[in-house]
Amino acid sequence: MEYSKLYVLRIRQLCKEHNYSINRLAMISGIKQSTLDNIVRGLSKNPRVKTLHKIALAFNMTLAEFLDFEELNEYSFDDEIPD
């Protein structure tokens, strides 16, 4: 899986667990709907830390907790194809 898709996976998993739509997440986090849509659709492949932090807070998590999940922890940059 591509690195950029890992954030999308995490956001979708947490939305499902909290019964949030992307629209609701946008309202709770204070992030523009279009920004979240771009992240979830893969158009924004490198979201800012500030954005990820706001997403984490919307789920009552620290940024560290948000980033601590199996798929990201097991990711290997060695498997990436160079640009």
Side-chain angles (χ1 to χ4, degrees), residues 5 15 20 23 25-26 28 57 66 68-69 72 74 77 81:
K5 291 182 181 177
C15 279
Y20 288 175
N23 184 34
L25 178 59
I28 293 169
L57 291 174
F66 176 79
D68 186 19
F69 63 104
L72 184 63
E74 293 178 355
F77 288 98
I81 299 170

Side-chain angles (χ1 to χ4, degrees), residues 34-71:
S34 60
T35 300
L36 273 174
D37 285 340
N38 287 339
I39 292 169
V40 172
R41 284 191 267 149
L43 300 175
S44 177
K45 294 188 182 281
N46 194 12
R48 297 171 68 189
V49 171
K50 183 176 180 180
T51 302
L52 295 177
H53 191 183
K54 286 181 176 183
I55 292 169
L57 291 174
F59 292 117
N60 295 315
M61 305 172 89
T62 65
L63 181 57
E65 290 170 328
F66 176 79
L67 296 174
D68 186 19
F69 63 104
E70 185 175 351
E71 292 85 355

